[in-house]
Amino acid sequence: MANRPLSPHLQIWKWGPHMLVSILHRITGDGMAIVGLAVLLWWLGAMAGGPEAYATFQEVMSSPIGMIVLVGLSWAFFTHMMSGLRHFVLDIGAGYELDTNKTWSILAPIIAILLTAGFWAVVLLR
């Protein structure tokens, strides 16, 4: 037993952007599942609860804290989507070259931020 090889651990692996994108993918998925579901259920309950309940929901969601939650959810969506697309390309067997993998690992969160900014520009300027 003493001569068995140890599994590689975080101290052995060199951190790279692909690791960050993978971790962000998991965090954003969990965040959308928990926070997004809570906001969705509150919204549905407010619609069913009548005009006063819906007005309260609208007031909270249009406040600075509500806007942070909504922008955060949209950022999580776009980040998760871009990472998912990256993983899809990897699953079909493409993009495993080190330079390609690193480039798309860096571009995925940047594109997600740009998509989030564009989405909110359209929503707020409409």
Side-chain angles (χ1 to χ4, degrees), residues 6 17 19 46 55 60 69 84 101 110 125:
L6 296 175
M19 289 179 161
V60 171
V69 169
N101 194 353
I110 293 171
L125 297 176

Side-chain angles (χ1 to χ4, degrees), residues 62-104:
S62 60
S63 72
I65 300 246
M67 290 302 290
I68 289 171
V69 169
L70 293 176
V71 169
L73 280 171
S74 61
W75 170 80
F77 170 77
F78 288 119
T79 300
H80 197 77
M81 180 180 71
M82 292 309 301
S83 178
L85 288 173
R86 179 182 161 272
H87 280 280
F88 176 72
V89 171
L90 291 172
D91 287 344
I92 62 173
Y96 278 105
E97 299 80 20
L98 291 178
D99 289 339
T100 305
N101 194 353
K102 185 175 182 179
T103 300
W104 282 108

